[in-house]
Amino acid sequence: MNHIPATTSAARPAASRDEAASLLAEQRRSTELESLIAADPSRFRIATGDRPTGPLHLGHYFGTLASRVRLQRAGVQLFVLIADYQVLTDRDVADRLREHVGGLVADYLAAGIDPRAATIFAHSAVPALNQLMLPFLSLVSVPELRRNPTVKEEIALSRQRAVSGLMFTYPVHQAADILFCKANLVPVGRDQLPHLQITRAIARRFNERYAAGSEFFPVPDALLSAAPHLLGTDGAKMSKSRGNALALASTPDETARLIRGAKTDGQRHITFDPLTRPEVSSLVLLAALCQDREPARVAEEIGAGGSAQLKRVVTDSVNEFLRPVRARRAELAADPGYLRQVLRAGNARARGIASGTLTEVHALMGTGHAALDQHGG
């Protein structure tokens, strides 16, 4: 899940030995999961999503969208959450929300997500999902929420004058997003692992406390992303809010203008060396991803052509790669009624699943209308 923007590696503290060992274990498990998915994809239900804060860009495509499409085509059940409530985690208002929600649906479909197989839905349209928050909050302690490193870092970087309770309880919101549909697999980056650990703890504690130890809620696995590290045109992390991203919906001319202004370095000969030449290497990597080739080979071909030739290659590669995506997206954007229909259908499907899960939760906990009727409420 990537509702909250991942923090940069520079902001992240060095991992302890235990954290490094835990990450290694998660990486090994992800490799195992890929084999299990290939053998029997129907065993897996994935929950993932994005915040509607602007158009998706190539960082999203190569980081998450392409993987979602691949897993869906393999036969995995896919739930894609448009986390509209979560826009408020680090913002005072949800600006241009309706426009951004429609844009996300268009981006998803243009990238290849099939609404006949995937469930695309908005957080605010599924009340039963949000009702799971109350019992889930009772299963975690305040110190556990305070210790969550991703929340601490996002609070430090928050745009708000004062941090809201929504930010503080965000990992529990995410647990509800995952567990309402009983997802057993969550694609995440390493920054999101602490959130998933809280989801796992909530699932285990609910099962132990209310389900006699049976696995009512699956304890979801992390499918660690092997997403490439793409920088924005200014050399910082590619981000919707920084104005440094190559949006899926941008025109060829807009793409060319952004790439022409991209930061490089003073060395003329082009090489692929992410540690010492991050900006140049990110551009090389972007061209290589679009061409489906090895970045070192792309750099070798450009060689003495310098940054001007590099930017021409990247521009041509990106525009050719995005040509069918942009054509499909333009068709979708011209039919907003269809986009609303896709979202309505996904919302209805998600509401039915969430209501069923909430009814089961009430039965296990002895709460809800049925329990009150039995007790004369």
Side-chain angles (χ1 to χ4, degrees):
M1 306 287 276
N2 51 339
H3 311 174
I4 288 184
T7 51
T8 65
S9 57
R12 188 189 307 123
S16 69
R17 183 174 299 177
D18 288 346
E19 289 170 337
S22 176
L23 178 60
L24 182 59
E26 294 287 2
Q27 289 169 334
R28 287 173 176 161
R29 176 58 176 160
S30 289
T31 300
E32 179 185 352
L33 285 165
E34 289 286 1
S35 298
L36 294 172
I37 290 167
D40 186 5
S42 64
R43 288 176 50 190
F44 296 95
R45 177 174 281 189
I46 283 179
T48 184
D50 303 278
R51 299 194 307 165
T53 55
L56 297 184
H57 51 67
L58 280 172
H60 294 116
Y61 182 88
F62 290 115
T64 60
L65 281 176
S67 178
R68 294 173 191 175
V69 172
R70 172 181 67 85
L71 291 165
Q72 177 188 266
R73 289 174 177 168
V76 172
Q77 299 176 69
L78 183 65
F79 285 75
V80 185
L81 168 67
I82 297 177
D84 48 355
Y85 276 159
Q86 304 307 334
V87 173
L88 299 173
T89 52
D90 61 348
R91 297 162 193 250
D92 293 325
V93 294
D95 188 38
R96 298 165 59 194
L97 189 58
R98 184 171 298 180
E99 173 190 341
H100 290 326
V101 168
L104 270 189
V105 178
D107 284 338
Y108 291 153
L109 302 189
I113 290 177
D114 183 352
R116 295 168 299 180
T119 302
I120 302 170
F121 66 100
H123 201 155
S124 62
V126 188
L129 183 163
N130 296 301
Q131 289 185 53
L132 291 172
M133 276 285 295
L134 289 177
F136 285 3
L137 280 167
S138 75
L139 296 170
V140 291
S141 67
V142 171
E144 283 178 308
L145 294 175
R146 282 182 176 154
R147 283 196 303 268
N148 186 289
T150 309
V151 169
K152 287 197 295 186
E153 289 165 9
E154 290 299 335
I155 286 173
L157 297 170
S158 175
R159 303 177 185 183
Q160 293 177 304
R161 291 182 296 274
V163 174
S164 72
L166 187 61
M167 173 70 87
F168 190 67
T169 61
Y170 176 76
V172 186
H173 280 258
Q174 192 169 69
D177 297 340
I178 295 165
L179 297 178
F180 93 94
C181 63
K182 299 184 180 177
N184 58 2
L185 194 60
V186 184
V188 293
R190 59 174 291 183
D191 290 331
Q192 292 288 312
L193 280 173
H195 284 332
L196 188 58
Q197 287 162 0
I198 286 184
T199 298
R200 290 168 169 169
I202 287 172
R204 291 190 188 100
R205 291 168 191 175
F206 185 94
N207 294 342
E208 292 166 2
R209 188 173 301 181
Y210 297 112
S214 66
E215 194 171 275
F216 173 75
F217 283 121
V219 179
D221 273 306
L223 187 64
L224 276 180
S225 171
H229 183 58
L230 287 173
L231 299 178
T233 53
D234 60 356
K237 180 187 173 186
M238 192 176 288
S239 168
K240 290 180 281 190
S241 61
R242 291 179 182 268
N244 67 355
L246 301 170
L248 302 185
S250 61
T251 67
D253 286 345
E254 288 169 341
T255 298
R257 177 180 56 80
L258 282 167
I259 293 173
R260 276 198 304 271
K263 185 178 179 181
T264 54
D265 59 31
Q267 298 181 50
R268 178 169 180 80
H269 195 86
I270 299 303
T271 59
F272 182 68
D273 188 351
L275 288 179
T276 62
R277 305 185 71 186
E279 296 91 358
V280 166
S281 296
S282 183
L283 288 171
V284 171
L285 176 59
L286 182 54
L289 288 167
C290 291
Q291 296 178 26
D292 193 21
R293 299 174 65 206
E294 289 298 320
R297 182 68 174 159
V298 173
E300 182 183 346
E301 289 181 358
I302 297 169
S307 62
Q309 176 66 9
L310 170 62
K311 291 178 181 181
R312 282 193 292 271
V313 169
V314 175
T315 299
D316 291 345
S317 301
V318 169
N319 281 333
E320 179 59 25
F321 180 81
L322 286 180
R323 183 170 52 81
V325 176
R326 286 167 171 163
R328 175 60 177 149
R329 196 188 186 286
E331 292 176 6
L332 292 163
D335 190 358
Y338 173 67
L339 297 177
R340 289 192 293 270
Q341 177 186 331
V342 166
L343 191 57
R344 279 197 300 268
N347 288 342
R349 197 178 308 152
R351 278 196 295 269
I353 292 169
S355 294
T357 300
L358 186 63
T359 297
E360 293 178 292
V361 165
H362 283 321
L364 289 170
M365 295 180 66
T367 58
H369 294 303
L372 291 174
D373 289 343
Q374 288 178 355
H375 294 291

